[in-house]
């Protein structure tokens, strides 16, 4: 599991409702291609700064998205028609469109995205597009490589569009869309949006909109929602404290130096300019006329906090070179220990802020304001998006190596804060830091709400320097000759097309850091052409490339056992067909091959006592049960070590995609993905129990990426609260219980569990990835050395 999950938050308001690329082609009715949007929400959506974009169905790494900017408002329950390129065929013009572009779309295959921003997207794979938080909705049709869910929408042609059957978005294009006669703008409102287009943000209005005079604290109010949302405001004054002039969400922050006496109301605000470079600079004193918007990054039902911002702004620069308002210092004293108030599962957005009691309320009360941190320990390493996490509370649940431990749902660690930079990386490189390093000196800038991570972030104008904390990749102990070493490693979407350097680094980790375990359960092994979705399911090329690299690194010539999944049925990156795989060293252990195991046949248990055996080896546990829909099926195998039988089960449970974040506006947040993992855990618990009932001395090892915590209901169900399996992570000291770092929280997702009969075990989480900016995978491997 990574920070940026694949299309995990379906849109609840604006969606792409119909796509037609056959306009003007032979057999077409209409003269033009079109894209239709719809709003199933209860509030209008200002489309200023939005665009629709198109990518060919089979993009190459150099393929470019084509862009049509949008203007106007998409009313509640309304449709919005975007007219694209015309052809020479077709006799019927479209109804009067709300926006016009010149994209020449394919009639049979392509991808269309609704984007908050007008810069062309850069993603050309489903996984990369899923990580782009500016995409509000995405539709692949025909044979498009980039699509949501199980597959693209089928049936598009010169005479047929693909349209939603309902406006409920499940993030599965194949399920949500059907082909039929094109119906541009005919469903509900007679064609087009409910309000006329307005001036696009790239050309600010020449005269300010009429509105009410307001101060920034009047706009922000004392809750997370603006009392002036949707209204035009004038005479909004303040000093520019930060400018973001890159990406598709450009803009600047303005702060009123004359604060009111209410600690709940922020004096700062973000002015959104879309893809247009801001025409102001830090230190300018400005007067603004604009429209107030409570913006929900990714949609109103995602659970993210709303961001109060100004759009369609006209800025009058009154003076330049002004001193900035003094920054609010954030430290262990000013940030409360409690994280967020509870609303019984409801929203906290309309509750009065209590900044002296809750960290998230403090950040909301400072939204858009100039803040500063001093020396702070890094608890989330620099990532590819040029962001890192620090803690403002150095003693809060500290791990042995300097991170911040996630100990339970009720303790999310209030000291964590994301740090980003307003300085383009082409001008100054973002600091590279590992967990345990210190960001020294002062880091100062506006406090923003990061729309991709759904959390508050300091947008640094000035950023501290990194002092190393000295952590190094760990090396585990070597197994003794009478110990079987069994490891698990999530290798993060490994495919033959990955750079050789990734295979070499994985091999080094297995050989040098894990000391060449006898058995390795690998998660996220992709098929032979990776994310290309063409029906390929075999993974022998992936595994050959990895095992060759292990030999080159000085390791053994591993053999492997696995079961190819049914195409596109095991979740993960579309087309990747990820699966779990056993590697084993034939010089140390042998695999008991027993025929009958395949992608859809359930493995069973036969015999009793020493004759207890699997009906197939390798086999899959209950692969047809709904618990494993769009998820990896457990792989079970029978091994022999020094004449002793070992039953090993490799896992990769359902991801956390779709869960509300720990800083959601819904508190406590809903963990919807838990339902499926709980069912998976119960099925596997029952299977392990079958083995243990057949042979009370059976040696069973269950391991892999369970995508859940040691204290979670799913893991408790799998272990039978410790009666069926022992979760070895609980045998470590508390400060060492983690295998993954997410948003500055060091947490457990990967596990090794053993049956009660296995008493002589030596267990180790080997930290070589999760704490480092330079990582081969986002997971740390772990290993157990045991005497059967």
């Amino acid at each position: 599991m990574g920070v940026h999950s694949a299309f995990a938050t379906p849109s609840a308001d604006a969606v792409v409702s119909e796509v037609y690329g056959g306009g003007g082609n032979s057999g077409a009715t209409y003269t033009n291609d079109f894209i239709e949007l719809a709003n199933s929400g209860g509030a209008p959506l200002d489309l200023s700064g939005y665009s629709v974009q198109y990518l060919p169905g089979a993009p190459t790494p150099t393929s470019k998205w084509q862009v049509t900017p949008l203007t106007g408002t998409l009313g509640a329950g309304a449709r919005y028609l975007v007219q694209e390129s015309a052809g020479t065929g077709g006799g019927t013009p479209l109804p009067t469109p709300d926006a016009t572009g010149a994209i020449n779309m394919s009639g049979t295959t392509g991808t269309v995205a609704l984007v908050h921003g007008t810069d062309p997207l850069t993603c050309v794979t489903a996984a990369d597009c899923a990580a782009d938080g500016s995409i509000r909705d995405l539709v692949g049709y025909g044979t498009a490589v980039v699509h949501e869910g199980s597959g693209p929408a089928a049936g598009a042609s010169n005479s047929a569009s693909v349209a939603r059957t309902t406006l409920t978005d499940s993030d599965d294009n194949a399920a949500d869309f059907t082909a039929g006669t094109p119906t541009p703008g005919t469903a509900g409102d007679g064609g087009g949006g409910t309000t006329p287009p307005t001036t696009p943000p790239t050309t600010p209005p020449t005269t300010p909109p009429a509105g009410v005079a307001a101060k920034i604290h009047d706009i922000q109010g004392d809750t997370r929602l603006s009392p002036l949302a949707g209204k035009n405001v004038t005479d909004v004054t303040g000093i520019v404290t930060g400018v973001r002039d890159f990406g598709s969400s450009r803009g600047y922050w303005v702060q009123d130096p004359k604060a009111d006496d209410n600690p709940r109301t922020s004096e700062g605000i973000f002015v959104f300019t879309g893809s247009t470079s801001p025409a102001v600079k830090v230190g300018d004193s400005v007067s603004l006329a604009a429209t107030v918007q409570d913006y929900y990054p990714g949609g109103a039902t995602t659970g993210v906090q709303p961001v109060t911002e100004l759009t369609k702004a006209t800025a009058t620069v009154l003076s330049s070179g002004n001193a900035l308002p003094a920054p609010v210092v954030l430290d262990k004293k000013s940030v409360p220990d409690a994280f967020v108030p509870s609303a019984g599962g409801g929203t906290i957005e309309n509750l009065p802020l209590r900044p002296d009691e809750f960290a998230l309320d403090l950040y909301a009360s400072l939204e858009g304001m100039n803040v500063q941190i001093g020396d702070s320990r890094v608890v989330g390493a620099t990532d590819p998006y040029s962001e890192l996490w620090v803690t403002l509370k150095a003693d809060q649940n500290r791990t042995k190596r300097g991170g911040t431990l996630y100990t339970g749902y009720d303790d999310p660690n209030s000291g964590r804060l994301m740090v980003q930079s307003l300085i383009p990386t082409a001008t100054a490189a973002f600091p590279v830091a590992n967990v345990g390093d210190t960001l020294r000196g002062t880091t100062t800038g506006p406090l923003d709400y990061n729309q991709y991570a759904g959390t508050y972030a300091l947008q640094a104008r000035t950023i501290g320097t990194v002092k190393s904390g000295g952590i190094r990749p760990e090396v585990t102990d070597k197994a003794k000759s009478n110990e079987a070493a069994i490891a698990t490693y999530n290798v993060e979407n490994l495919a033959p097309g990955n750079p050789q350097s990734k295979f070499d680094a994985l091999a080094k980790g297995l050989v040098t850091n894990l000391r060449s375990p006898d058995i390795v359960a690998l998660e996220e092994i992709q098929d032979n052409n990776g994310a290309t979705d063409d029906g390929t399911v075999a993974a022998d090329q992936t595994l050959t490339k990895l095992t060759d690299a292990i030999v080159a690194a000085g390791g053994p010539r591993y053999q492997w056992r696995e079961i190819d999944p049914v195409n596109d049925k095991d979740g993960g990156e579309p087309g990747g067909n990820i699966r779990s795989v056993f590697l084993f060293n034939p010089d140390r252990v042998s695999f008991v091959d027993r025929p009958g195991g395949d992608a859809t046949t359930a493995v069973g248990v036969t015999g009793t006592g020493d004759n207890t055996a699997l009906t197939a080896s390798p086999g899959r546990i209950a692969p047809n049960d709904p618990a494993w829909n769009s998820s990896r099926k457990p792989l079970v195998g029978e091994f022999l070590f020094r004449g002793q039988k070992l039953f090993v089960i490799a896992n990769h449970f359902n991801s956390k995609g779709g869960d509300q974040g720990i800083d959601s506006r819904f508190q406590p947040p809903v963990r919807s993905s838990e339902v499926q993992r709980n069912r998976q855990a119960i099925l596997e618990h029952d299977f392990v129990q079958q083995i243990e009932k057949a042979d009370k001395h059976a040696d069973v090892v269950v391991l892999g990426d369970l995508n859940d915590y040691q204290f979670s209901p799913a893991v408790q169900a799998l272990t039978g609260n410790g009666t069926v399996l022992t979760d070895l992570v609980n045998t470590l000291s508390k400060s060492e219980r983690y295998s993954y770092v997410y948003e500055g929280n060091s947490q457990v997702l990967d596990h090794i569990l053993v049956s009660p009969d296995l008493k002589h075990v030596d267990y180790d989480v080997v930290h070589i990835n999760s704490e480092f900016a330079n990582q081969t995978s986002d997971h740390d491997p772990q290993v157990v050395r045991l005497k059967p």
Side-chain angles (χ1 to χ4, degrees):
M1 173 188 170
V3 172
H4 304 275
S5 300
F7 302 108
T9 51
S11 176
D13 41 34
V15 293
V16 177
S17 55
E18 187 173 0
V19 175
Y20 178 55
N25 295 351
S26 175
T29 300
Y30 290 99
T31 56
N32 290 73
D33 299 341
F34 70 83
I35 301 164
E36 183 191 81
L37 310 179
N39 185 354
S40 63
L45 177 67
D46 182 359
L47 292 177
S48 300
Y50 280 75
S51 64
V52 290
Q53 303 193 19
Y54 172 80
L55 182 72
T60 68
T62 58
S63 293
K64 303 296 184 185
W65 288 80
Q66 299 176 65
V67 180
T68 299
L70 306 179
T71 60
T73 302
L74 176 55
R79 305 276 169 150
Y80 185 103
L81 185 62
V82 184
Q83 175 178 289
E84 297 294 355
S85 178
T88 57
T92 304
L94 295 175
T96 302
D98 299 284
T100 301
I103 301 174
N104 185 12
M105 299 161 55
S106 166
T108 57
T109 182
T111 301
V112 168
L114 172 62
V115 181
H116 187 214
T118 55
D119 284 352
L121 298 171
T122 59
C123 56
V124 292
T125 68
D128 287 344
C129 288
D132 191 329
S134 68
I135 298 177
R136 288 290 297 272
D137 191 25
L138 181 141
V139 178
Y141 63 96
T143 57
V145 170
V146 179
H147 58 78
E148 293 179 350
S150 63
S157 68
N158 289 351
S159 59
S161 67
V162 291
R164 289 185 181 273
T165 54
T166 71
L167 294 187
T168 300
D169 180 27
S170 73
D171 271 359
D172 189 334
N173 296 159
D176 289 347
F177 286 79
T178 57
T181 302
T183 56
T186 61
D189 70 348
T194 58
T195 59
T198 59
T199 307
T202 53
T203 308
T206 55
T207 57
V212 297
K215 298 293 186 181
I216 292 175
H217 50 250
D218 298 327
I219 297 169
Q220 288 282 12
D222 64 358
T223 73
R224 288 170 167 81
L225 297 173
S226 171
L228 298 176
K231 297 184 181 298
N232 294 330
V233 289
T234 60
D235 301 325
V236 181
T237 56
I239 307 296
V240 176
T241 61
V243 175
R244 182 164 59 212
D245 194 15
F246 50 86
S248 59
S249 184
R250 304 184 186 203
Y252 54 97
W253 289 265
V254 176
Q255 182 171 334
D256 190 340
K258 299 179 180 178
D260 65 4
D261 58 0
N262 187 349
R264 294 173 171 171
T265 57
S266 172
E267 303 296 340
I269 198 164
F270 181 64
V271 183
F272 175 66
T273 64
S275 60
T276 302
S277 294
V280 298
K281 58 184 181 296
V282 172
D284 283 353
S285 173
V286 297
S287 178
L288 301 164
T291 301
V292 179
Q293 173 178 270
D294 280 331
Y295 170 58
Y296 294 88
T301 62
T302 61
V304 297
Q305 308 264 350
V307 182
T308 299
E309 61 184 26
L310 299 181
T311 66
K312 296 181 287 187
T314 299
T316 301
V317 177
L318 305 177
S319 61
S320 298
N322 296 280
L324 304 189
V328 176
V329 176
L330 299 175
D331 56 22
K332 65 179 181 180
K333 293 183 179 179
S334 63
V335 176
D337 291 332
F339 187 61
V340 63
S342 174
T347 181
I348 61 173
E349 62 190 342
N350 53 6
L351 299 179
L353 298 174
R354 290 181 280 173
D356 57 338
E357 296 182 47
F358 300 105
L360 275 191
D361 281 17
L362 173 67
Y363 296 152
S365 74
L366 299 174
E367 182 183 282
M369 290 180 62
N370 196 29
V371 300
Q372 179 176 289
I373 61 174
D375 290 0
S376 304
R377 194 175 71 251
V378 175
V379 293
T382 303
D383 65 20
Y385 306 96
S386 294
E387 55 197 28
L388 58 81
W389 288 78
V390 299
T391 181
L392 307 178
K393 293 178 174 291
D395 298 327
Q396 192 173 55
N397 292 324
R398 182 167 181 160
T399 72
K400 187 174 182 180
R401 288 161 60 90
T404 296
L405 196 71
Y406 184 54
T407 62
Y409 299 120
D410 59 349
D411 191 14
N413 293 311
S414 63
R416 299 169 303 109
L417 183 67
M418 179 187 279
V419 176
Q420 296 179 297
S421 177
L422 293 177
I423 307 169
T425 53
T427 303
F430 190 78
V432 177
N434 298 323
V435 169
D437 292 351
T438 301
L439 190 63
R440 300 185 70 183
T442 57
T443 298
T444 309
L447 186 65
D448 186 33
Y449 188 82
N450 180 289
Q451 62 175 312
Y452 302 108
T455 191
Y456 288 98
L458 195 165
Q459 301 290 329
R461 287 188 320 273
T462 60
I463 195 164
T465 58
V466 173
K467 180 184 178 183
S468 174
I471 66 167
R472 296 288 184 268
E474 292 184 329
V475 176
T476 196
D477 294 334
K478 187 173 179 59
K480 298 175 182 177
S481 61
N482 64 342
E483 292 179 325
I486 305 175
T488 177
Y489 198 171
N490 183 321
V491 293
E492 195 176 9
N493 288 323
L494 186 65
N498 292 156
Q500 183 62 42
S501 58
K502 178 172 182 176
F503 286 89
D504 294 343
L506 288 171
K508 179 182 177 183
L510 287 164
V511 174
T512 301
N513 301 90
L514 268 69
R515 301 292 193 99
S516 299
D518 301 313
I519 301 170
V520 183
L522 299 173
E523 299 87 52
E524 294 197 16
I525 293 291
Q526 290 198 343
D527 63 34
N528 287 337
N529 58 16
T532 301
D533 196 0
D534 63 356
T536 298
V537 294
D540 56 298
Q541 294 176 29
T542 312
L543 291 164
T544 297
K545 195 169 181 178
L546 176 59
T547 53
D548 285 350
I550 292 171
V551 172
R557 171 59 70 180
Y558 282 107
Q559 295 182 16
W560 68 77
R561 296 292 187 272
E562 55 98 19
I563 292 176
D564 292 339
V566 176
N567 186 49
D568 287 340
K569 293 299 183 182
D570 279 22
E573 187 175 24
N577 289 312
I578 58 174
R579 82 288 308 271
S580 297
V581 173
F582 290 126
L583 298 185
F584 64 96
N585 180 359
D587 293 335
R588 292 270 299 163
V589 297
S590 58
F591 189 88
V592 179
D593 287 295
R594 193 170 293 119
D598 60 30
T600 58
T601 300
V603 67
V605 179
T606 184
T608 59
D610 291 343
N611 295 320
T612 301
L614 302 175
T615 57
S617 177
R620 288 180 132 196
I621 298 174
N624 300 311
D625 191 281
W628 309 108
N629 287 350
S630 297
S631 184
R632 284 66 54 190
K633 286 70 175 171
L635 183 73
V636 57
E638 206 173 304
F639 294 85
L640 291 174
F641 175 73
R642 296 166 68 94
Q644 294 294 112
K645 189 179 298 183
L646 286 170
F647 297 97
V648 184
I649 304 175
N651 294 281
H652 188 184
F653 277 13
N654 182 53
S655 81
K656 291 182 176 293
D659 288 5
Q660 294 169 352
I662 58 176
D663 47 7
S664 168
R665 73 178 189 279
F666 298 110
Q667 290 294 333
V670 174
R671 302 184 298 272
S672 57
S673 69
E674 226 173 49
V675 176
Q676 186 171 0
R677 281 194 303 283
N678 287 345
R679 184 178 177 111
Q680 292 174 343
I682 290 170
L683 286 173
E684 189 160 323
H685 164 277
D686 292 350
F687 183 83
V688 173
Q689 201 168 50
Q690 285 184 57
I691 297 175
E692 294 178 354
K693 284 183 176 179
D695 179 8
K696 64 180 181 180
H697 298 300
D699 294 332
V700 184
V701 178
V702 173
L703 72 175
D705 178 2
L706 300 182
N707 265 318
D708 224 333
Y709 316 116
Q710 69 274 31
F711 48 79
S712 68
V715 174
Q716 294 300 311
L718 176 58
T719 65
N721 291 317
T723 61
V724 174
L725 291 165
T726 299
D727 190 355
L728 295 179
V729 74
N730 293 321
T731 67
L732 299 177
S733 66
K734 184 177 292 187
S735 66
E736 296 180 274
R737 297 176 189 174
Y738 62 95
S739 65
Y740 187 84
V741 178
Y742 181 65
E743 293 190 349
N745 271 331
S746 295
Q747 54 195 248
V748 176
L749 292 184
D750 310 270
H751 299 254
I752 297 181
L753 310 98
V754 298
S755 55
D757 193 60
L758 280 167
K759 302 184 185 302
H760 302 288
V761 297
D762 184 12
Y763 168 71
D764 191 12
V765 179
V766 188
H767 301 299
I768 62 175
N769 287 319
S770 68
E771 299 169 309
F772 296 94
N774 181 19
Q775 55 183 225
T776 309
S777 167
D778 49 353
H779 292 252
D780 286 328
Q782 46 190 263
V783 62
V784 61
R785 294 171 287 274
L786 53 88
K787 296 177 183 178

